[in-house]
Amino acid sequence: MPATEPPAAEPPTDRKRSFLSRITFAIFLWLYRRDNWRASVSGPADRVLPRKAIIIAVPHETNWDLVNYLGLTHDLGLRTRFIAKLSLFRWPIDRFMRDMGGVPVDRSRKANLVEQMAEQFAARDDLLLTIAPEGSRSVTGSWKSGFYQIALRAKVPILCGWIDYEEKRGGIGPAIMPTGDYAADMIEAQRFYESKGIVAPDFAGMKVAGDVPLDGCIAEQPSTDQGRQRG
């Protein structure tokens, strides 16, 4: 798909960030812009992104992912959010966590994570929730399926977020509306990430084999796959 290069834009905010948050964010943006990153949205020039969606951040390799992802989404004019445990939303860092996009999750509640996030989507007019399906900072080719379960329950699309450290590029790829057929739905994501040279689970193979796990990690790619795939 062709990519459009959007102009830099200030992301929409629910409220003005605190002084500490503004300083921290400014430092992150300086670090991001120092390396001349470029942000893009795949598809037609007039593509409009949904106001509610799950953004999967792939790959998740380094602590720099946060800095560069914040920079990329800022340049795209997006205010994204992430999940964090409730105990982090207390003085003195409660305001900072919320300013940075944190959404608290109460692990003591009977409702599980999927139900809590579905409630958040139902209660908000705008929510772009970022989740790294790999879970940890390593390229194993295995994904946890929580992002899909949340999107399915909340009835919101999944946006394929990507980042390429070699080319200093990143952005948003196709949107996938979950139907309940995990492997079939995610084949499009697999093809998109592979076109970017990024390791992704073999959803096409899972569909053929009938292996559609929804509770843990997806089976890993062959051990010969390390980091990015380059054709």
Side-chain angles (χ1 to χ4, degrees), residues 8-14 17 25 29 70 73-80:
E10 289 296 328
T13 57
D14 297 329
R17 290 188 174 103
F25 195 75
L29 285 181
L70 286 173
T73 53
H74 176 274
D75 280 355
L76 293 173
L78 305 177
R79 179 71 180 272
T80 60

Side-chain angles (χ1 to χ4, degrees), residues 140-194:
T140 64
S142 62
W143 290 5
K144 297 180 182 294
S145 63
F147 74 91
Y148 183 90
Q149 297 180 63
I150 294 171
L152 183 64
R153 184 67 173 269
K155 299 180 181 179
V156 298
I158 297 164
L159 299 178
C160 296
W162 64 281
I163 191 167
D164 185 331
Y165 278 90
E166 291 186 16
E167 300 294 331
K168 297 293 188 292
R169 292 181 59 111
I172 302 294
I176 300 167
M177 195 68 196
T179 66
D181 191 334
Y182 180 46
D185 290 346
M186 298 308 295
I187 289 174
E188 183 178 0
Q190 175 190 348
R191 291 172 177 165
F192 172 75
Y193 286 118
E194 288 177 347

Side-chain angles (χ1 to χ4, degrees), residues 18-194:
S18 68
F19 177 75
L20 173 62
S21 299
R22 295 198 302 273
I23 291 297
T24 303
F25 195 75
I27 293 172
F28 286 170
L29 285 181
W30 178 82
L31 291 170
Y32 160 78
R33 287 169 174 162
R34 178 187 60 179
D35 291 331
N36 297 314
W37 281 80
R38 289 177 295 164
S40 64
V41 174
S42 300
D46 59 352
R47 178 185 178 188
V48 178
L49 296 178
R51 296 173 63 180
K52 295 184 182 183
I54 296 287
I55 301 177
I56 50 175
V58 181
H60 182 34
E61 301 178 356
T62 167
N63 287 327
W64 284 100
D65 290 345
L66 173 62
V67 172
N68 294 316
Y69 193 76
L70 286 173
L72 289 166
T73 53
H74 176 274
D75 280 355
L76 293 173
L78 305 177
R79 179 71 180 272
T80 60
R81 300 189 178 278
F82 60 88
I83 298 169
K85 58 184 179 181
L86 182 62
S87 60
L88 293 174
F89 293 82
R90 295 176 181 173
W91 189 89
I93 64 170
D94 173 63
R95 176 69 182 271
F96 177 80
M97 288 294 296
R98 295 180 189 276
D99 285 349
M100 290 296 101
V103 176
V105 173
D106 185 356
R107 298 183 185 276
S108 67
R109 283 185 55 190
K110 291 183 179 180
N112 62 26
L113 175 61
V114 172
E115 292 172 340
Q116 289 188 57
M117 289 302 100
E119 290 172 2
Q120 290 282 350
F121 274 104
R124 298 170 183 254
D125 293 328
D126 299 89
L127 180 56
L128 296 174
L129 186 66
T130 303
I131 297 176
E134 292 166 308
S136 60
R137 293 187 301 274
S138 61
V139 184
T140 64
S142 62
W143 290 5
K144 297 180 182 294
S145 63
F147 74 91
Y148 183 90
Q149 297 180 63
I150 294 171
L152 183 64
R153 184 67 173 269
K155 299 180 181 179
V156 298
I158 297 164
L159 299 178
C160 296
W162 64 281
I163 191 167
D164 185 331
Y165 278 90
E166 291 186 16
E167 300 294 331
K168 297 293 188 292
R169 292 181 59 111
I172 302 294
I176 300 167
M177 195 68 196
T179 66
D181 191 334
Y182 180 46
D185 290 346
M186 298 308 295
I187 289 174
E188 183 178 0
Q190 175 190 348
R191 291 172 177 165
F192 172 75
Y193 286 118
E194 288 177 347

